[in-house]
Amino acid sequence: MNGSVPNTLVVVPVKDFAKAKSRLGPHLDAVERATVAANLFTQTLHFLQDAQKQCSITFDIAVVTSSLEIASTVNECPVHLILEGQEDGLNSALTTAALWAKAHGYETLCVLPADIAAPDFDEFERLLSMSGSPRSLVLCPAHDYGTNVLIATPPDAVTFTYGKASFQKHQAQAAERGLDCVIAPSSSFSKDIDYMEDLADLQPRLLAKHGDRRAV
């Protein structure tokens, strides 16, 4: 890693684990769903902390959440905490994160979901390298045409519209606002965990309970 001051903030939005992964409900009970969500979050932070040490592009890490339990865990890690007053959905959380990023001098905001099945370092570095324009949007679509990785320069370049078909909505906004829009498919980052078929071979590991999560 070079010694420059990071101008990119990678933010991971996360809600209370007990409320996460509702679409797994028909197959997993509440405790199992919370365990999957917690393990995915831990995996994501480990991945980002490792990437920080290796990546040629410097970046800082932040977590945006309204959960005091998650906040207490994050406070023990070398990442920024953006604490919402109350949970009001993903788009509201990311708007809060974008305002925080601008107020703290970051030029670029990278949104990374906490539920990527198997994040890949080389793919992540490639995605970060695509945000070169001062007014730009890099979009990595999910397999269901949601938005997985989103990189906005400046951080509030778009209004976040996560939900059904959000990839097309974010792309349309980029065109309306005259942003340089880069579509960046990724075999790694297009795959998140929403349904039982997404768990596949990862199920035993993601359902394993860990007594101490302070190591995230």
Side-chain angles (χ1 to χ4, degrees):
M1 182 185 293
N2 60 51
S4 62
V5 176
N7 63 11
T8 296
L9 182 69
V10 179
V11 63
V12 180
V14 59
K15 63 181 178 181
D16 191 321
F17 298 138
K19 301 177 183 178
K21 296 297 154 199
S22 59
R23 282 179 281 190
L24 299 177
H27 303 278
L28 302 179
D29 63 29
V31 173
E32 290 172 324
R33 295 196 303 272
T35 299
V36 168
N39 285 338
L40 283 166
F41 175 60
T42 299
Q43 171 182 276
T44 300
L45 286 192
H46 281 160
F47 168 78
L48 286 174
Q49 288 168 344
D50 288 342
Q52 261 188 329
K53 300 171 186 175
Q54 304 175 54
C55 192
S56 60
I57 300 170
T58 59
F59 62 88
D60 286 339
I61 306 167
V63 170
V64 58
T65 186
S66 63
S67 167
L68 296 179
E69 180 182 357
I70 293 172
S72 66
T73 300
V74 171
N75 273 331
E76 299 177 9
C77 309
V79 303
H80 296 294
L81 172 65
I82 304 171
L83 187 61
E84 292 185 277
Q86 62 182 17
E87 186 175 305
D88 194 25
L90 177 57
N91 293 318
S92 175
L94 292 176
T95 299
T96 298
L99 293 173
W100 189 97
K102 284 201 75 172
H104 288 79
Y106 292 97
E107 298 174 7
T108 297
L109 182 74
C110 171
V111 178
L112 181 65
D115 63 349
I116 299 298
D120 178 82
F121 168 74
D122 290 333
E123 285 287 286
F124 186 63
E125 186 170 38
R126 179 179 68 86
L127 292 172
L128 288 181
S129 72
M130 294 180 174
S131 60
S133 167
R135 284 183 49 79
S136 64
L137 190 67
V138 178
L139 296 173
C140 174
H143 55 80
D144 60 356
Y145 295 100
T147 307
N148 276 359
V149 182
L150 179 153
I151 306 175
T153 307
D156 59 351
V158 294
T159 300
F160 300 104
T161 55
Y162 279 84
K164 186 176 181 180
S166 65
F167 166 69
Q168 288 98 331
K169 294 174 184 176
H170 287 133
Q171 187 179 15
Q173 273 197 67
E176 291 168 2
R177 300 185 181 195
L179 305 175
D180 294 329
C181 188
V182 179
I183 308 305
S186 167
S187 59
S188 170
F189 289 93
S190 66
K191 299 174 183 176
D192 49 14
I193 303 293
D194 282 330
Y195 300 100
M196 285 303 296
E197 55 264 33
D198 299 325
L199 280 173
D201 296 336
L202 300 174
Q203 184 169 341
R205 175 170 61 82
L206 291 177
L207 281 171
K209 294 183 180 180
H210 301 283
D212 184 1
R213 299 192 182 281
R214 291 176 299 172
V216 298

